[in-house]
């Protein structure tokens, strides 16, 4: 376990212990069980906030009009000057629709970064109020509404630690699916296509298709002058090393 991961685990453990101690005690921590009430409280906080830090373990489950309203609210908040930074789990980018929406928001000013390790759903407005899901499952009902300054500081520290480790969502390697990243990870270990196929329990032909897709997404044309496997590995290492 590297130093960054150890520090992250320590911060998460401190937060967990602090929340356990403060449950039920009127010191700036409120348990809100009703999801609609949680959403209203979030909208109230967002209405006047100038800054938002957010972490989302998966993409939004909203569809149709709900998703359009959510996107519109974010764009409106950006237009009135809110500074927004969002960390998402890498699995979100496996869905082309969600990936396109994230890149649109990123280009509009809601800066996104990507992580591979599990994260909790979190919103922190202006270093004054935070929302944390009561269970580590995305979009589960209920949340802790936190105004306690010490806990807010810990949550901000947790977010900033993750932000420094995360990767920019616009990096080409972020276009790869989870399976393509697995294939490229094994190639980075020096394995042949047949060895990759054995390791993943898939056919060698399937590996070949994944490799071809990786080359296309990383925009590596076939030429006699370069080894695309080496260039793909280098791009992967640049995109994952932080």
């Amino acid at each position: 376990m590297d130093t960054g991961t150890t520090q992250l685990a320590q911060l998460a453990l401190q937060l967990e212990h602090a929340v356990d101690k403060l449950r039920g005690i009127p010191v700036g921590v409120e348990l809100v069980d009703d999801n609609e009430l949680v959403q209203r409280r979030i909208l109230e906080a967002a209405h006047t906030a100038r800054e938002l830090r957010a972490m989302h373990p998966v993409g939004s489950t909203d569809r149709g009009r709900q998703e359009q309203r959510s996107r519109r609210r974010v764009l409106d908040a950006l237009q009135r000057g809110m500074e927004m930074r969002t960390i998402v789990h890498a699995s979100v980018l496996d869905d082309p629709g969600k990936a396109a929406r994230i890149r649109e928001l990123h280009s509009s000013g809601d800066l996104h970064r990507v992580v591979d390790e599990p994260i909790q759903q979190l919103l922190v407005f202006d270093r004054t109020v935070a929302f944390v899901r009561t269970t580590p499952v995305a979009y589960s009902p209920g949340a802790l509404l936190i105004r306690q300054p010490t806990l807010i500081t810990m949550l901000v520290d947790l977010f900033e630690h993750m932000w420094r480790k995360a990767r920019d969502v616009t990096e080409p390697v972020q276009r790869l699916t989870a399976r393509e990243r697995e294939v490229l990870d094994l190639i980075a270990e020096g394995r042949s296509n047949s060895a990759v196929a054995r390791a993943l329990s898939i056919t060698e032909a399937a590996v070949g298709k994944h490799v071809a897709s990786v080359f296309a997404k990383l925009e590596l044309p076939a030429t006699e002058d370069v080894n695309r496997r080496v260039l793909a590995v280098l791009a992967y290492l640049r995109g994952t090393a932080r």
Side-chain angles (χ1 to χ4, degrees):
M1 182 178 295
D2 60 30
T3 303
T5 303
T6 301
Q7 292 174 344
L8 176 61
Q10 291 173 345
L11 281 170
L13 186 59
Q14 290 172 4
L15 174 62
E16 182 180 350
H17 288 168
V19 171
D20 285 341
K21 290 180 180 178
L22 291 169
R23 281 180 184 273
I25 302 175
V27 289
V29 179
E30 177 185 355
L31 177 61
V32 184
D33 290 319
D34 182 78
N35 239 22
E36 290 187 6
L37 180 57
V38 171
Q39 292 302 315
R40 286 201 299 272
R41 295 290 184 86
I42 290 173
L43 290 176
E44 290 169 3
H47 184 68
T48 57
R50 303 297 299 176
E51 180 184 61
L52 170 62
R53 294 172 173 85
M55 294 201 304
H56 297 298
V58 297
S60 171
T61 56
D62 292 342
R63 291 292 184 271
R65 292 182 180 179
Q66 285 184 332
E67 183 170 340
Q68 291 175 9
R69 284 197 297 268
S70 174
R71 170 182 169 277
R72 186 69 262 166
R73 283 196 295 267
V74 172
L75 295 175
D76 288 345
L78 290 168
Q79 188 171 14
R80 69 169 182 266
M82 184 188 288
E83 295 182 8
M84 304 175 71
R85 287 185 291 156
T86 302
I87 299 171
V88 297
H89 191 264
S91 61
V92 176
L93 301 182
D94 292 342
D95 183 315
K98 293 174 183 175
R101 181 173 182 268
I102 284 172
R103 292 191 176 97
E104 177 195 11
L105 294 175
H106 181 83
S107 64
S108 298
D110 179 7
L111 303 182
H112 278 67
R113 288 190 178 181
V114 180
V115 294
D116 295 312
E117 55 263 65
I119 55 177
Q120 172 63 295
Q121 194 163 6
L122 166 70
L123 300 173
V124 183
F125 293 96
D126 288 342
R127 293 178 176 262
T128 58
V129 59
F131 297 84
V132 181
R133 289 291 172 183
T134 52
T135 56
V137 177
Y139 302 97
S140 58
L144 290 175
L145 191 164
I146 302 172
R147 299 184 187 275
Q148 210 280 337
T150 300
L151 286 179
I152 293 290
T153 298
M154 293 173 63
L155 289 169
V156 169
D157 288 346
L158 174 63
F159 176 91
E160 294 298 342
H161 178 83
M162 294 296 293
W163 184 262
R164 288 191 295 270
K165 292 183 61 179
R167 308 183 298 276
D168 193 303
V169 74
T170 60
E171 293 177 359
V173 73
Q174 303 308 329
R175 303 172 191 168
L176 306 182
T177 66
R179 175 61 86 184
E180 288 165 353
R181 289 194 296 272
E182 286 180 323
V183 168
L184 196 48
D185 192 38
L186 292 170
I187 290 176
E189 295 177 2
R191 304 197 194 193
S192 64
N193 282 11
S194 59
V196 172
R198 290 193 297 273
L200 297 179
S201 299
I202 59 178
T203 66
E204 191 169 346
V207 173
K209 290 180 180 178
H210 289 310
V211 171
S213 179
V214 167
F215 292 161
K217 290 181 179 179
L218 297 183
E219 300 177 356
L220 300 174
T223 69
E224 296 181 355
D225 298 326
V226 299
N227 186 317
R228 288 193 293 175
R229 290 174 76 91
V230 172
L231 292 181
V233 167
L234 289 174
Y236 175 73
L237 293 176
R238 284 196 300 267
T240 58
R242 284 291 181 274

